[in-house]
Amino acid sequence: MADYDVAIIGAGVVGCAIAREFSRYHLRAILLEANSDLCDEASKGNTATLATGNDTPVGSLERKLVVRGHQRYLAEGPSLGLPIRMVGAMTVAFDEAEARVVSEEVRSSRAEGFASVELLNADGIYARVPHLAPGAVAAAWAPDEGIVDGFSTAYAYALDAVVNGVDYRDSAPVTAAHRRDGVWTLTTPGGAVSARLVINCAGLRADHVEALAGYRDLTVKPRRGQYIVYDKRARRLVDVILRPAPTPTTRGVYIAPSIFGNVLLGPTAEEVPDPDDRRVTPEGIAQLTAAARRMLPALLDEPVAAMYAGMRPATEKPEYRIIPRFADGWLTCAGIRSTGLSGALGIAEYVAGLVVPEVVKAARKEAIKPARVPSLADPNIARPWTDAARVAADPFYGEMVCHCERVSVGEIRDALSGPIPVHSLKALKRRTRVMMGRCQGFFCGARVESMLRTGKP
Amino acid sequence: MNPTVAIVGAGPAGLAAAAALTARGVRDIAVFDRDDTVGGLPRYCGHLGFGWEYSHRLEKGSAFIRRLIGETDLSRAALYPRTTVLEMAPGPVLRVVGPETGLREIRPKAVLVATGVRERPRAARLVPGARPERGVLTTGALQQMETRGIPMPGPRAVVIGSEHVAFSVLLTARHCGLKIVAMAEPGNRVLSLAVARPIARVVFGVPVFLNTEIEEIQGRATVEAIVLRTPEGLRRIPCDCVIFSGSFVPDAPLSEEAGLAIDPRTGGPVIDQFMRTSQPGVFAAGNLLRPVESSGVAACEGARAGACIAAFLAGHLDGTQAASVFGLGEGVRYLVPQRWAMDAVDLRDARPLRPSLRVSSDMEAARVTLATDGAVVWQGRRRRLLRERRIAINLDALPSGRPAAPRVDLVA
């Protein structure tokens, strides 16, 4: 008898979404995360855009699932407390050759059902982005592209899953996997877990997990993407996602507003051998600033708040690698390269559809308990300190610890006492945005450390 | 709660302003500070070096703050730590939140913005390399950790920068078990006192690398090493933390979002000689005005602002600027005040104006001239004009009334 019907390895955004999907069924599921916090690998470093999928390969599974993921995010994100801003994406052409590329993108998008995509001329472009570098001749305008909070998205899915009965275990890297009598036994430092079906959502380490089960038909090729985060002051310059016209080899460096009120510049695209090599390099910085100089030169005068490098869990093939191996009680869900955040809910629905009822027989639950994460968006009117009644009732919401991102004592306390524990500074940062602003902890670093250690303000 | 004067920031400038206001009989003053104790940055500095220009005593940071609070009549000025001014709008209207105040809107007659400075962190300096979870910090964060009893990331530290504050780390390090293994400065000289380098080397055994940039920071969970690009080549120094010091910037988001005119040269609000910003009833003082003067100068400015606000409340001074903008000659990095107003106000009992004048790059010698309508009204010969050092200038030599086209030039 197995402990669980389903064990999901990897609490990135895809693993968390799949866990949430299975929480809707009468079955036993567990989500295992190798690190001390969820969303700690590929899912933590991206552009945090909600893509429509119009730039994914025509006819691909990726396109189908991103389209569905986008649709579901708009429908289900708000009830989870997740903020969304539909800012739109503009792919800009600065010469005739690029103009041909973007008008072809508009034509094919519309032909494929992305009816809102349109071609802009220079007037339309500069009306939307007055600070854009001069010389733009045409642009593809995709108004249904949005920006979201990538950290809170994974957290919201995991929280919803846990509230609805899925077990979650962190610091639980799977070090061995053995199958006997139709049951997998997964070894972790905290003890073994047995399950009838294993879903490998291990992202950057998907090939290692595959190898534990004897599968060697997949190799992860980590692709690093470096980013520069500009201070909130820069948001006056741009409030759409700006993309250069793509070339056959790259989609290029984006300039995107973040849901937290910053402006992101990135990513680079570099194949690196080590999935943990999240260095920011002089070459990367030079490539990013060159891209800004070409599209939005005024950005370079703005102060930088942060830099980071994300790692895309690409594989040797340019497609999603969702591989049912049900005869073995295994399902591979890998190669979710750049579109995991947008596609996760589509992927989760697709995976659950493969599994239930053919592999695991389970009825859908009738009642779902609500789960909601605090919105960290800026500008926002939903923070506790924007509500006089909440501050009066709980004065800790009135006392700021992090001044740049305006995080109160009460919000930190809430994060530290949530159902999914915070064990590390980085987890607390992702849950609340403390120390993520322009001062990077100059004002609040010591106090945040103190709260993390003592749990007291 | 409906204060007559709201002071935003209870560092040396804000506290000195409160003292000056209460000394002039102004009541109903609210001093807001978002930290959990008032005092601003000096309160985290347990070593000597604070307040000289204000009190002609050289005190520890914390002692200087106690002195300023002691000079304030607390029956007239209420201190609100843990309280944040979220927004400021013309009126002036402030939106304030704190455990004691709750979330509320206040409409004081005058506001003093004294939100101070912060150090530029690693990212803003575009320093490449790994980004360990801990061990990369600023001096300000380090000093707070020491004051709050937070264990240090490890024994070996490398300090970046060579302003006074970098050497302040040497003093702080002794208390908290840090060993400074090297200091690195991108420029060709130490920006603190010239003797600081030999003192660091001889007294503390710390090498100071000049003309040195950071190649990268190494480490995963924690810092393992820093690689410096020195004139002699790359040099890898194993360490547990990297402390970015100095390179101060005004913490001006509140002023920017309120729409105060900002001087791009300083990063702080534009003021006139009466510490008035571009918005009626809103004054500014302290290191918010520019990076950076000593705590004593900041306190002097605060005290002057207090006197100006008292004159404004008494109807002797307009709330707005009608002023000429200083023209700045080549080689002048910035001048505060940026504007010179025509008001003739008797502020003889107030602290004198202490203009902040800086050069763009070091000069061996120059004549500083102050002119109006093309005629020089004051000049002074200055030797060794250093980028980070304040250069004395006597703006009071300007004729009363509105000087047409006042300007400051440097003549080599």
Side-chain angles (χ1 to χ4, degrees), chain B residues 13 18 30 79 123 125 174-175 198 206 208 211 252 261 270 291 296 324 341 370 398:
Chain B
L79 306 181
R125 308 179 192 214
R174 285 189 152 178
H175 300 292
V206 178
V208 182
N211 298 305
V270 169
S324 312
L370 174 65
L398 287 168

Side-chain angles (χ1 to χ4, degrees), chain B residues 263 266 268-272 289 324-327 335-340:
Chain B
D263 181 353
T266 59
V270 169
I271 60 160
D272 68 4
L289 297 176
S324 312
V325 180
F326 281 102
L335 172 67
V336 179
Q338 292 86 350
R339 295 166 148 250
W340 193 261

Side-chain angles (χ1 to χ4, degrees), chain A residues 233 274 276 279-280 304 306-309 385-386 398-400 403 406 425-426 438 442-443 446-447 449-450, chain B residues 34 82 84 86 97-98 103 118-119 121 123-124 127-129 131 133-134 138 140 144 150 216 220 253 256:
Chain A
R233 202 177 79 172
D274 176 0
D276 295 322
R279 278 179 303 169
V280 175
V304 169
M307 297 191 295
Y308 65 94
W385 44 264
T386 60
E399 179 176 352
M400 297 297 168
H403 308 301
R406 295 208 166 136
L425 183 60
K426 60 188 177 184
R438 61 183 75 83
F442 173 84
F443 289 117
R447 210 168 160 205
E449 284 278 3
S450 172
Chain B
R34 57 195 192 176
R82 305 174 191 269
T84 301
L86 297 168
V97 70
L103 175 67
R118 59 184 172 82
E119 291 168 299
V127 171
R131 294 169 306 106
E133 185 177 6
R134 286 193 176 81
T138 47
Q144 277 209 39
I150 308 293
E216 71 168 359
R220 289 270 156 92
E256 286 173 1

Side-chain angles (χ1 to χ4, degrees), chain A residues 2 6 28 30 45 63 73 79 103 118 156 193 203 232 238 248 253 275 277 313 388 408:
Chain A
V6 182
R28 294 160 303 153
I30 185 167
R63 168 165 290 199
Y73 200 107
S79 62
S103 48
E118 59 175 309
V193 171
K232 295 183 183 201
V238 57
V253 174
D277 183 2
S408 64

